[in-house]
Amino acid sequence: MRNLIVKIAAAALLVLAPAIAQAAEGYSTANVNMRAGPSTRYPAVAVIPAGSSVEIRGCLSNVNWCDVEFYGGRGWVSGQYVQAVYEQRRVYVGPRYYRPLGIPMVTFSVGNYWDRYYRNRDFYRERDRWSRGPDYYYRNRDRDYYSRDRDRDRDRDYRAREYRDRNRDWRDNDRREEVRRPERRETDTNFRNLPQFRGGKADTYNRPDPRASPFVCRPGDPACD
């Protein structure tokens, strides 16, 4: 039983040995963002200071982006910001140096990579949208932003129209009030000049005193004799 366990362990070491060996030490040449995918459009997860040491875990064959490890974190950095020592000199990491430096060529999948390293990140909630590529994500995000802006502008225009219509109603009411005011003054004046008001008293409601004379006699008027 012990021999079987030893053989299994040895076989496992043989299988894992190439993967363990296929990694290279690199150095960042500038303050560079380590991103959640092989593009500047993916979210940044850390900033690697210039001259810092990174462990290159693999690079893509079609574009010059490499999966690196920095202080226990994982992410992607463009090869134009990473150098490695080759034949006692530093060279920028590129496809021609992958094999001599022992760097494996790898692929990238948002689902697998983010599941392993970014479950606690805020952008992980939108993993399904990011899985279709950053161009798709930003195109749909911009469309959503445009829709929200359009709705906000529509609401703003509606409020502006409502405010304008309300002010117009107020102005119309003020104009009508200005037109009615002289008529009201003239009517009030004529009403107060009635004989019963000149000859008697009125209460606070401008009603004539019933004891007042209905008319005022003029001197020489036969009706007053």
Side-chain angles (χ1 to χ4, degrees):
M1 184 65 180
R2 175 180 292 181
N3 291 336
L4 180 60
I5 295 175
V6 171
K7 290 180 180 180
I8 293 174
L13 289 175
L14 289 175
V15 171
L16 294 176
I20 295 174
Q22 288 183 337
E25 185 178 5
Y27 304 90
S28 63
T29 60
N31 296 331
V32 60
N33 284 321
M34 184 170 67
R35 297 188 175 272
S39 171
T40 56
R41 296 174 69 85
Y42 281 103
V45 296
V47 176
I48 302 175
S52 299
S53 175
V54 296
E55 193 73 16
I56 304 172
R57 295 296 181 180
C59 298
L60 299 177
S61 59
N62 53 341
V63 290
N64 190 19
W65 280 79
C66 296
D67 176 17
V68 302
E69 182 177 352
F70 176 69
Y71 277 97
R74 291 288 288 271
W76 293 81
V77 177
S78 173
Q80 63 180 339
Y81 295 107
V82 179
Q83 288 183 334
V85 177
Y86 174 70
E87 294 182 351
Q88 299 182 352
R89 62 188 178 93
R90 288 189 177 185
V91 296
Y92 281 97
V93 174
R96 59 180 293 189
Y97 296 110
Y98 291 170
R99 185 181 295 275
L101 293 172
I103 300 173
M105 286 187 292
V106 297
T107 59
F108 172 72
S109 171
V110 167
N112 295 333
Y113 198 87
W114 286 23
D115 285 344
R116 282 185 289 174
Y117 304 116
Y118 302 136
R119 285 184 177 273
N120 61 337
R121 298 280 184 161
D122 292 338
F123 54 78
Y124 183 81
R125 294 193 299 266
E126 297 185 289
R127 182 191 61 170
D128 294 337
R129 295 179 63 182
W130 279 105
S131 63
R132 301 187 183 184
D135 293 336
Y136 175 86
Y137 172 80
Y138 279 102
R139 182 172 63 248
N140 284 269
R141 189 195 66 168
D142 294 342
R143 184 183 62 189
D144 293 342
Y145 285 168
Y146 172 76
S147 298
R148 287 196 292 270
D149 291 343
R150 183 181 57 193
D151 294 340
R152 184 174 62 251
D153 292 342
R154 184 174 61 245
D155 294 340
R156 182 182 59 195
D157 293 340
Y158 173 78
R159 290 193 297 270
R161 287 196 303 270
E162 185 180 14
Y163 179 78
R164 185 173 60 249
D165 294 342
R166 186 167 60 250
N167 287 343
R168 184 178 59 192
D169 294 339
W170 289 344
R171 289 195 300 270
D172 293 343
N173 290 334
D174 291 341
R175 293 193 190 99
R176 286 193 290 268
E177 186 67 21
E178 288 293 334
V179 171
R180 287 197 298 265
R181 190 172 294 120
E183 297 177 355
R184 185 179 298 112
R185 286 198 298 267
E186 182 179 357
T187 302
D188 294 343
T189 302
N190 295 336
F191 183 78
R192 293 180 186 279
N193 289 331
L194 290 175
Q196 56 266 39
F197 277 92
R198 292 200 303 270
K201 296 182 179 179
D203 60 16
T204 55
Y205 295 98
N206 293 330
R207 290 195 296 269
D209 189 344
R211 294 172 298 178
S213 175
F215 60 88
V216 178
C217 292
R218 297 178 180 179
D221 192 343
C224 295
D225 293 340

